[in-house]
Amino acid sequence: CESVIVDPNRCEVLGDMLGIDLEWTVVTQHGRTRCGCRCEASKCDPSDDPTLTSYNAHGDGTPSNRYRVYNPAQLRSISLNDAALGMHYLQCADVDFAGFYSDDNKYFAIGTEPKPFFGAFDGNDYKIEAFIYDVGGPFFGGTHVDELGLFGSMDGATLHNVKVYDATVRSPQGENIGTLVGFMRASEVSQSQGSGAVEGNEGALTTRAEAVQ
């Protein structure tokens, strides 16, 4: 990587944002070898069981040993546990919500207005597909109709490299409706994107932001 012309502060700045130590080096991901930022102390572990469903099944949620996420149930588990909202996460596989929702696995958003997500989530160049939150759908079991998206509400949070595709987020009378983020305050979203069908006020990747750094 010595021959690659890059900003020498790139990994340091990104590491400070995520709260981890990063170095510029050769990395291999999805069968491709390239130069990039790597954190030796916090990466995906091939010995993990990707079928476990709790948010804290792998890792300890600290910047140096982030919780590793492999499936839809783990994302839903984050939304159901207040203690999970301020932790650090690393996505380690593509996540597909097709066929996931049921009476036992209702629609969810990570973070609400009274209890926002304030942790850090690194999508690690993996995809999240077919996420649904539909207030008129068969698996709507809550009362939240505002601040909806995969991350419904964030305050002091960091999202990096999170890719949401083919999402459906519907709340016709709702405020701050988006695919990836509904509402965020004093938060950072980088190299991330969201796509899909949105119905509600201010639908977008991130719909409304206050004091975004």
Side-chain angles (χ1 to χ4, degrees):
C1 291
E2 289 80 2
S3 63
V4 180
I5 300 175
V6 297
D7 179 355
N9 296 320
R10 173 180 176 179
C11 294
E12 181 180 351
V13 171
L14 178 59
D16 288 344
M17 183 179 69
L18 296 174
I20 57 179
D21 292 326
L22 295 173
E23 62 176 348
W24 181 256
T25 185
V26 176
V27 295
T28 300
Q29 189 174 51
H30 310 313
R32 294 178 299 154
T33 299
R34 57 183 175 81
C35 291
C37 299
R38 182 177 64 182
C39 176
E40 288 290 348
S42 182
K43 57 186 179 181
C44 299
D45 188 337
S47 68
D48 288 345
D49 181 352
T51 66
L52 298 180
T53 59
S54 175
Y55 74 91
N56 59 359
H58 311 291
D60 61 18
T62 61
S64 61
N65 188 21
R66 293 174 284 179
Y67 288 136
R68 298 182 291 279
V69 175
Y70 292 86
N71 58 65
Q74 287 180 296
L75 290 174
R76 185 171 185 270
S77 178
I78 298 173
S79 75
L80 298 175
N81 293 273
D82 292 352
L85 296 174
M87 298 300 180
H88 295 253
Y89 297 89
L90 179 67
Q91 187 175 338
C92 288
D94 290 333
V95 174
D96 191 348
F97 280 91
F100 171 74
Y101 299 103
S102 67
D103 288 336
D104 293 325
N105 293 307
K106 297 185 182 297
Y107 306 135
F108 69 90
I110 298 173
T112 62
E113 185 175 6
K115 295 181 179 180
F117 179 73
F118 59 98
F121 192 100
D122 183 349
N124 200 22
D125 206 30
Y126 287 103
K127 298 182 292 185
I128 297 174
E129 298 182 280
F131 171 79
I132 298 175
Y133 196 116
D134 184 352
V135 299
F139 305 118
F140 175 65
T143 59
H144 299 296
V145 297
D146 299 316
E147 284 77 46
L148 298 180
L150 176 62
F151 292 87
S153 183
M154 306 195 311
D155 192 347
T158 298
L159 301 184
H160 175 68
N161 207 5
V162 183
K163 310 294 175 60
V164 174
Y165 297 101
D166 299 322
T168 300
V169 186
R170 294 184 63 255
S171 182
Q173 306 304 315
E175 300 287 333
N176 305 314
I177 312 301
T179 52
L180 175 58
V181 181
F183 173 82
M184 70 178 189
R185 177 187 293 111
S187 298
E188 176 77 23
V189 178
S190 63
Q191 299 180 34
S192 299
Q193 65 186 76
S195 67
V198 174
E199 185 176 351
N201 189 39
E202 301 182 24
L205 169 67
T206 59
T207 56
R208 183 164 62 107
E210 295 180 2
V212 177
Q213 303 299 318

